[in-house]
Amino acid sequence: MDYENYFAEQIAALKAEGAYRVFADLERKAGRFPLAANHRDGAVHEVTVWCSNDYLGMGQQPDVLEAMEGAIRKSGAGAGGTRNISGTNHFHVLLEAELASWHEKDAALLFNSGYSANVTTLSTLGSRMPGCIIFSDSHNHNSMIEGIRHSRAPRHVFRHNDVAHLEELLAAAPKDAPKLVAFESVYSMDGDIAPIGRICDVAEKYGAMTFIDEVHAVGMYGQRGSGVAERDGEAHRITIIQGTMAKAIGVIGGYIAGSAAVVDFIRSFGQGFIFSSSLPPSIAAGALASVRHLRAHDELRQRHQERAATLKKRLTQLGIPVMPSVSHIVPVMVGDAKLCKQASDDLLRRHNIYVQPINYPTVPRGTERLRITPTPLHDDAMMDRLVGALIDVWGSLGIKKVAA
């Protein structure tokens, strides 16, 4: 086999359908978010970022930066190994305690990413509980799907947010079999939110555990900011809450929170945890400072929701096809991979606005979109420029509008 030719052909096919991904060379500027320097064509351009998952700008927050700098001076750069082999730093212990308290659970466990947290936890639960059956929402993130696959446990996929379908599947399962219902709170590509209470109702009715992915909600929902489950008063009913520190918390890493027994079970048997070197102390210190700040500053969440609602309203009034979204996500439908990529390129090159195209396999073919994420730091002038730029690009490319 001509390996190099095969690789080249596969990449050429991606480019032909408009699904080839190009990374923008961005240099974030501390203290100036959402502005960044874009290195392109041999020059540097100041751009406004409208698609960051640093939803609240906490990656620039002074307390977070100071905590990270202090931890480096105090503990050095690296953690020293896996958590078992010299890699547990006191900042890890403090952060796990803070996360457990935030979610009102007994314990928490850190991972190097939200992806790793999902894969490790779901694969461990499914593989180590004899006869376990997993029920998964059809829109679940790839990391959840991969974790369930690696568990090799029998799995059933229920239609997205369809509680009646979930109940049908649970009712048909063996009564005494261990069961786990896995779903997300905020689905980040469409911006919709799970009916957490009703899912818990049917899970409890059939003796199933619940696993909720709150990565696009921690920091942004609830009076204390721990997620939609807190906002809806359902957190106490969830068996395992999974979150990330790479989005609204503004750093990197993932975690789970739950009872002391279930967290210790994953700590003791989860291979993705056992065999991974731990997060650097500076990361844990920064995340700790961020969580403490978020718990105390609900006004950030209120401003965040206002910014998202205002942008949705303005775009809808102008016929820009904003997909229905009850969250902070503002998805704008394009529906064609090449047009979506061209719209993103034109926004960047003509208007110095960065919004990355979302194409297959992240979303199904024919539903390609721009995924806009306003933050509390996007002011009215920035929003004016974004709205004007979208109108210009929609007109120049002939992208379909909708009735206002």
Side-chain angles (χ1 to χ4, degrees):
M1 181 177 184
D2 185 342
Y3 300 111
E4 293 299 315
N5 186 59
Y6 172 78
F7 300 145
E9 287 178 346
Q10 293 297 303
I11 295 299
L14 270 183
K15 291 180 177 179
E17 66 175 284
Y20 182 73
R21 300 175 185 225
V22 178
F23 298 152
D25 185 349
L26 297 177
E27 182 181 352
R28 287 160 59 99
K29 299 292 187 181
R32 300 193 66 207
F33 182 81
L35 299 179
N38 174 214
H39 297 259
R40 69 175 190 267
D41 303 329
V44 179
H45 307 263
E46 185 174 84
V47 301
T48 304
V49 178
W50 278 95
C51 58
S52 175
N53 283 345
D54 187 359
Y55 292 127
L56 301 176
M58 290 301 293
Q60 312 281 316
Q61 209 278 334
D63 292 347
V64 175
L65 301 184
E66 183 178 350
M68 295 181 73
E69 291 168 357
I72 288 176
R73 289 192 296 269
K74 183 176 182 178
S75 298
T82 65
R83 289 289 296 275
N84 184 55
I85 304 176
S86 76
T88 296
N89 185 277
H90 188 54
F91 287 115
H92 299 132
V93 177
L94 293 175
L95 177 56
E96 286 174 340
E98 189 75 24
L99 291 168
S101 170
W102 201 23
H103 291 286
E104 298 186 326
K105 298 294 185 184
D106 296 338
L109 187 67
L110 297 175
F111 293 83
N112 287 0
S113 68
Y115 195 102
S116 177
N118 274 341
V119 170
T120 300
T121 303
L122 289 169
S123 64
T124 303
L125 291 171
S127 64
R128 295 202 63 95
M129 289 194 299
C132 180
I133 304 170
I134 301 178
F135 301 82
S136 175
D137 188 285
S138 63
H139 284 198
N140 276 344
H141 189 265
N142 173 267
S143 58
M144 300 175 75
I145 295 168
E146 288 301 308
I148 294 167
R149 284 176 177 167
H150 282 292
S151 77
R152 299 184 180 178
R155 60 187 182 273
H156 299 284
V157 177
F158 59 94
R159 291 185 293 270
H160 179 50
N161 280 348
D162 189 334
V163 180
H165 187 217
L166 171 61
E167 182 162 16
E168 287 177 21
L169 296 173
L170 284 166
K175 183 178 179 180
D176 295 330
K179 304 174 188 69
L180 174 65
V181 178
F183 62 104
E184 300 181 41
S185 59
V186 175
Y187 289 85
S188 65
M189 290 301 118
D190 294 339
D192 56 340
I193 292 178
I196 298 174
R198 292 194 291 126
I199 289 175
C200 288
D201 289 343
V202 297
E204 291 167 359
K205 180 178 178 180
Y206 294 95
M209 299 183 298
T210 46
F211 178 101
I212 188 170
D213 176 316
E214 288 250 47
V215 299
H216 292 279
V218 290
M220 294 172 286
Y221 295 88
Q223 180 66 33
R224 296 177 298 106
S226 68
V228 177
E230 179 209 324
R231 184 199 71 177
D232 293 354
E234 306 289 355
H236 64 287
R237 304 175 71 187
I238 303 292
T239 309
I240 298 174
I241 296 174
Q242 183 269 341
T244 184
M245 297 174 293
K247 294 181 172 60
I249 294 174
V251 195
I252 190 68
Y255 65 89
I256 59 168
S259 70
V262 72
V263 170
D264 200 17
F265 181 84
I266 302 303
R267 184 191 71 87
S268 299
F269 295 107
Q271 295 186 20
F273 172 81
I274 294 169
F275 294 103
S276 290
S277 293
S278 55
L279 291 169
S282 59
I283 298 297
L288 177 63
S290 181
V291 171
R292 288 174 172 170
H293 185 89
L294 290 170
R295 292 182 75 161
H297 290 276
D298 188 50
E299 73 277 4
L300 275 174
R301 288 177 281 280
Q302 295 178 25
R303 167 72 173 174
H304 188 217
Q305 290 295 319
E306 180 276 322
R307 292 285 79 188
T310 298
L311 181 59
K312 290 175 196 175
K313 180 179 179 180
R314 291 190 61 179
L315 294 180
T316 299
Q317 288 173 340
L318 293 168
I320 299 296
V322 177
M323 299 169 62
S325 167
V326 294
S327 70
H328 59 282
I329 307 294
V330 184
V332 177
M333 178 59 69
V334 177
D336 177 274
K338 291 182 178 179
L339 272 181
C340 195
K341 176 67 167 61
Q342 189 61 55
S344 173
D345 288 347
D346 288 355
L347 285 169
L348 184 62
R349 292 183 174 277
R350 287 168 34 196
H351 298 279
N352 285 319
I353 287 173
Y354 177 59
V355 183
Q356 185 73 349
I358 306 296
N359 290 341
Y360 178 84
T362 306
V363 295
R365 288 186 174 90
T367 68
E368 293 82 4
R369 67 201 67 175
L370 300 178
R371 176 182 175 273
I372 304 173
T373 54
T375 76
L377 301 177
H378 285 95
D379 60 25
D380 287 341
M382 291 175 180
M383 194 174 292
D384 288 342
R385 289 193 293 272
L386 172 67
V387 171
L390 286 169
I391 292 296
D392 173 67
V393 169
W394 246 245
S396 65
L397 295 179
I399 302 175
K400 185 178 178 180
K401 287 189 177 183
V402 293

